[in-house]
Amino acid sequence: MNLFFEESGDFKAGVVLSQQGEAYQVEMQTGKRTKVRAKDVLLQFASPAPLELLSEAQAIANEIELEFLWEVAGQEEFGFAELGSEYFGHDPKPHEAAGLLVKLHAAPIYFYKKGKGRYKAAPEASLKAALAGVEKKKQQALIQAQYVEELKANRLPASMKAMTLQLLFKPDKNSIEYKALESACNELQTTPQRLMLAAGGIGSPKELHFSKFLFECFPKGTGFPAISIPKPPSLPLADVQAFSIDDVTTTEIDDAFSVVTLADGNVRIGIHIAAPALGIQRNDAVDAIARQRLSTVYMPGDKITMLPDALVEAFTLAEGKTCPAVSLYATLNPQDWSVVGIETKAEAVPIAANLRHNDLDAHVTEENLAAGAGDYSHKADIALLWQWAQVLEKGRMTKRESFGLKPEQTNRIDFNFYVEDDVVTITRRKRGAPLDKIVAELMIFANSSWGKLMHEHGVPGIYRSQGGGGGGWATRMQVRMVTHAAPHQGLGVDQYAWSTSPLRRYTDLVNQWQILACVQHGVTAPLVAPFKPKDADLFAIVSAFDGAYSAYADFQSTMERYWCLRWLEQEQAKQVEAVVLKEEILRLVDIPLIIKLPGMPQAARGAQVRLDLLRWDEVDLAVEARLLEIAAVSDVEPITDEDEELVDAIESGVETTIIDNTVNIPSASE
């Protein structure tokens, strides 16, 4: 006896060797023996042979017309043998019954399975809908295949042009467009990003990186809605001639300085901060824009401002204008540079000059300041500020050491990026140059002083705190954002509230509102300040800012790495100098590019090495290099605090972050 049975969704046939209760021992045509339960048996037959039955059944199934079979079946549930008698006009032979069953089983759209060998014809409406779906899938498959061929020929199908970014960064993996892209990439053995570049969906690697950032952080675009520019209230005029010190590319000029010698011989130094908080009100239209963006986004050659250009222009401390400002005045005794008194005012400040690093760096050097040499604008004021800045730095370093930290090193080289017509210039600037130190020290002084002011008035603010806790160096020195005064050990201050960049950072705008409340209302400030103690909205701002600022910093690092690779291409750099940070991690000397060199021989941290650059890739921002030589031990560059943080991150396993050059070290003034 032979059996036709169902096993694991397939129909099979074999010879019965034995039967034991409700089970059969069956030998298949391959010689394999299997146990078949009686409930899985569909037919028992003597002939033909099992293999022949399967072959003939398939032939019968191929001949059966589904539409006619569906019409014959009617709307009642049926067994396959019953339908066989109706369809064939006689009791079906084993191969006919098996063929009919194979056909029924293979057509779930036409026939719904109701049990072993039992089916029910699909209702007409359901069948039409299902057939339409099948036809749609066939057409989609044809379109998908056409898309694949076009993509393989480096042509972007017209229907995919509007969804390029969606396909790259947040695809619907069930769409035919994504399936076509994935299939083409698999056949070409490439990535979606590279295929889109080849097919013209993305114009360049730079556009790829920029578009990814915009898609994730600015999905509605970077434009601003139409707004009315707020006007500040009438303010008393400050009796000063202030000046700012910035890079030539800076347009959001937040800070300026003034120096006045008083009748008693003391010196009054003014730190003047642009005051958009005098025009923007919490929860107004402009505040909504600033709170959504949270910060200006910087990248080499471009930026996305936090505030509309017209509003920035209204409040920036531009040369020749009298601008609304929040001024911190420190009265100093020039004998020992001790602070005699501090006062904060909201006032209109005349801006005499916008000084630029590009014009002054070569003249304002430590040597020239010591000798009184050089001829430049506000020379005497800068000399006086330089003396106080050194005193401030010394005081911070003493405080820093009291926290158990080593003195801050100032031998790090900073890099400036300038991009014009897609040509990048990268210049080296040693951190700690006089103008840098003047700005950094006075900003730290202002942020610390205003943080103390808010704390003493019982008004919450947004503070930067660093230090304490266990773990490695990076863990101990991780900067946290809190809403109460807390030490910033790295800077060597008891509290530090970002307050000096309200045109560029939302935290500073929030703090400026709070500072103004302290100045204008004194002891009643906690009752009238925009943000009250334990305000949940303030915590929400801190959380949102932290995430956005980190994303913006990562993007800036990505673009800086991209422009470093563009620089290599421009300069046709093949052999370069680098510094060993930690084992296989190196940093180029001429540009701030970090490279991982697997198999790097052991070398002292800070050692100079020479590399042969084999290739670099602007899409995945990778660099391949080989070591040429390691310089003599005497050519060791000291490792800075920032390098220590980078090394600690490496030891903590943050490899991707390091290779992508996204370990962001704040400047001395953060």
Side-chain angles (χ1 to χ4, degrees), residues 251-408:
T251 57
E252 301 156 292
I253 302 175
D254 289 294
D255 52 83
F257 312 103
S258 64
V259 179
V260 175
T261 301
L262 303 177
D264 59 4
N266 286 339
V267 175
R268 188 185 67 183
I269 292 178
I271 302 172
H272 310 284
I273 304 302
L278 290 170
I280 303 170
Q281 302 300 315
R282 183 184 176 190
N283 295 326
D284 69 8
V286 180
D287 176 43
I289 293 172
R291 182 164 178 176
Q292 183 180 39
R293 299 199 174 198
L294 293 165
S295 171
T296 290
V297 182
Y298 292 97
M299 70 202 87
D302 203 357
K303 63 183 175 181
I304 303 170
T305 59
M306 180 180 76
L307 296 171
D309 290 344
L311 191 141
V312 171
E313 185 177 348
F315 286 93
T316 189
L317 304 182
E319 180 177 322
K321 293 175 58 179
T322 297
C323 305
V326 178
S327 300
L328 177 68
Y329 288 105
T331 302
L332 311 175
N333 181 343
Q335 299 302 315
D336 58 3
W337 297 105
S338 59
V339 179
V340 177
I342 294 177
E343 183 182 14
T344 299
K345 295 181 179 181
E347 56 187 2
V349 176
I351 307 299
N354 292 146
L355 306 183
R356 302 295 184 175
H357 284 291
N358 309 60
D359 300 324
L360 292 182
D361 277 351
H363 304 288
V364 186
T365 63
E366 292 191 40
E367 294 75 17
N368 283 352
L369 285 166
D375 184 18
Y376 45 87
S377 180
H378 291 272
K379 177 180 176 180
D381 294 339
I382 289 173
L384 192 146
L385 292 178
W386 169 240
Q387 294 181 67
W388 189 40
Q390 294 177 88
V391 173
L392 288 173
E393 181 186 41
K394 184 177 179 180
R396 286 196 308 106
M397 292 305 99
T398 300
K399 186 74 173 180
R400 178 183 163 99
E401 290 181 39
S402 74
F403 287 131
L405 301 178
K406 296 182 294 184
E408 189 177 51

Side-chain angles (χ1 to χ4, degrees), residues 217-240:
C217 295
F218 290 84
K220 296 181 180 179
T222 59
F224 291 98
I227 59 165
S228 298
I229 304 302
K231 293 184 178 180
S234 178
L235 299 167
L237 181 65
D239 186 18
V240 299

